[in-house]
């Protein structure tokens, strides 16, 4: 036995009470002349906004639309009368697209109360189209990351600071060379000059040849001393050494 008109009216009234309890101030009854729907039945308007929890109206253009509906005599066995209006910021073409979407869903939900289902679908569409993250583009995975620019830190190099460092560097260089020289060359006292007679009496004229050979060997040993290449760099290498030292101090 098909439902009688009283059954339709009762089901419609129950749906309205449920919607008012859920939506509270967001739903209101309006005059049919304001609905945009060709009907004399009771009309209701529900305001919708994007459902972003962190939607910032100060940083984004606020958008809002109204879903207007009216029950037909045999609703929900017939689709409801629905109209979509832009309250603020909704494009006309988008309204047309949403209306077609809701009409299709109403046909698929015949036989059951569907206003809240249509409302939820409209709110989801609005969030996707006009929500805070709408239009965000995915990053291009093939895009190469920008090269990191390394900014050196440390004191500015001036002529005065470089010359002061160079003096210290050369002093350290001389100290290192002194450490590599035989100890006898640094500690032996300077030999006193002998007179001609004292020279022959000492017999050194006999051992002169041997002494000369020994001195030559000692000179060769001194000449064979090798210094670290780091201490024989030219001025350009010294500057690099200085800059590295300054950067190291700054990092510490």
């Amino acid at each position: 036995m098909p439902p009688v008109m009283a059954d339709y009216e009762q089901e419609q009234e129950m749906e309205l009470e449920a919607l008012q309890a859920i939506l509270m101030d967001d739903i209101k009854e309006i005059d049919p002349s304001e609905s945009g729907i060709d009907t004399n039945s009771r009309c209701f308007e529900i305001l919708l906004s994007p459902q972003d929890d962190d939607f910032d109206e100060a940083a984004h253009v606020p958008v809002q639309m109204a879903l207007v509906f009216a029950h037909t005599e045999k609703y929900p066995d017939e689709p409801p009368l629905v109209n979509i209006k832009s309250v603020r910021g909704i494009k006309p073409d988008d309204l047309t697209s949403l209306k077609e979407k809701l009409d299709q869903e109403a046909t698929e939900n015949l036989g059951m109360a569907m206003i809240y289902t249509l409302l939820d679908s409209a709110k989801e569409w609005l969030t996707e189209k006009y929500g805070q993250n709408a239009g965000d583009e995915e990053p291009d995975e093939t895009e190469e990351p920008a090269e990191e620019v390394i900014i050196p830190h440390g004191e500015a190099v001036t002529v005065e600071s470089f010359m002061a460092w160079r003096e210290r560097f050369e002093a350290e260089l001389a100290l290192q060379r002194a450490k590599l020289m035989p100890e006898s060359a640094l500690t032996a006292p300077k030999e006193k000059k002998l007179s001609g007679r004292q020279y022959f009496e000492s017999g050194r004229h006999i051992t002169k040849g041997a002494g000369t050979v020994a001195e030559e060997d000692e000179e060769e040993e001194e000449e064979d001393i090798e210094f670290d290449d780091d201490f024989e760099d030219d001025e350009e290498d010294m500057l690099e050494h200085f800059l590295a030292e300054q950067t190291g101090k700054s990092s510490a």
Side-chain angles (χ1 to χ4, degrees):
M1 180 178 180
V4 296
M5 295 302 296
D7 294 336
Y8 286 125
E9 291 177 359
Q10 183 179 7
E11 190 167 358
Q12 294 168 12
E13 190 63 30
M14 290 176 60
E15 182 182 42
L16 286 173
E17 290 178 0
L19 289 173
Q20 289 170 340
I22 296 172
L23 302 174
M24 302 180 69
D25 294 339
D26 288 335
I27 182 172
K28 64 179 181 178
E29 185 172 359
I30 62 175
D31 190 273
S33 62
E34 301 174 359
S35 66
I37 299 174
D38 186 11
T39 183
N40 292 321
S41 301
R42 297 175 66 190
C43 295
F44 298 86
E45 179 183 83
I46 302 173
L47 295 179
L48 297 176
S49 300
Q51 56 187 7
D52 294 340
D53 294 336
D54 55 350
F55 189 78
D56 186 0
E57 292 188 358
H60 297 77
V61 178
V63 295
Q64 194 174 47
M65 70 180 183
L67 186 152
V68 181
F69 72 92
H71 290 138
T72 60
E73 290 184 356
K74 296 182 178 181
Y75 173 86
D77 287 338
E78 293 177 345
L81 302 175
V82 175
N83 184 32
I84 304 295
K85 298 191 300 181
S86 173
V87 176
R88 183 168 53 247
I90 308 296
K91 300 176 182 178
D93 291 344
D94 288 339
L95 293 176
T96 301
S97 176
L98 176 59
K99 178 64 166 58
E100 293 174 355
K101 172 182 172 65
L102 296 182
D103 288 344
Q104 178 64 31
E105 291 188 9
T107 302
E108 295 172 357
N109 287 276
L110 290 177
M112 62 184 73
M114 67 183 77
I115 298 300
Y116 192 81
T117 300
L118 300 180
L119 174 66
D120 194 52
S121 179
K123 183 176 292 187
E124 181 180 352
W125 175 92
L126 181 62
T127 300
E128 292 177 355
K129 276 284 187 180
Y130 293 93
Q132 185 170 351
N133 297 324
D136 289 352
E137 297 181 357
E138 294 293 331
D140 187 0
E141 296 181 356
T142 61
E143 183 178 354
E144 296 182 359
E147 294 184 1
E148 181 181 0
V149 178
I150 301 176
I151 301 176
H153 298 277
E155 299 179 0
V157 180
T158 62
V159 176
E160 291 77 10
S161 62
F162 175 71
M163 293 305 295
W165 174 87
R166 181 176 177 179
E167 290 178 1
R168 293 196 304 271
F169 181 82
E170 290 178 346
E172 293 174 1
L173 175 61
L175 180 60
Q176 292 293 336
R177 286 177 174 172
K179 290 180 179 180
L180 293 174
M181 292 178 66
E183 185 177 354
S184 59
L186 299 174
T187 60
K190 185 175 181 181
E191 185 178 2
K192 184 178 180 181
K193 186 176 181 181
L194 301 178
S195 64
R197 181 175 178 178
Q198 289 173 334
Y199 176 77
F200 281 100
E201 288 178 352
S202 66
R204 292 193 180 184
H205 66 288
I206 299 174
T207 59
K208 180 180 179 182
T212 302
V213 174
E215 291 176 359
E216 291 178 355
D217 292 340
E218 185 176 348
E219 291 178 358
E220 289 180 359
E221 290 179 0
E222 293 180 3
E223 292 176 357
D224 290 339
I225 296 174
E226 295 182 1
F227 300 105
D228 193 333
D229 291 342
D230 291 341
F231 298 104
E232 297 179 0
D233 292 337
D234 56 17
E235 290 188 357
E236 181 178 352
D237 293 334
M238 289 172 63
L239 178 58
E240 293 179 359
H241 191 134
F242 171 68
L243 293 175
E245 180 180 289
Q246 294 298 311
T247 302
K249 289 181 179 179
S250 176
S251 299

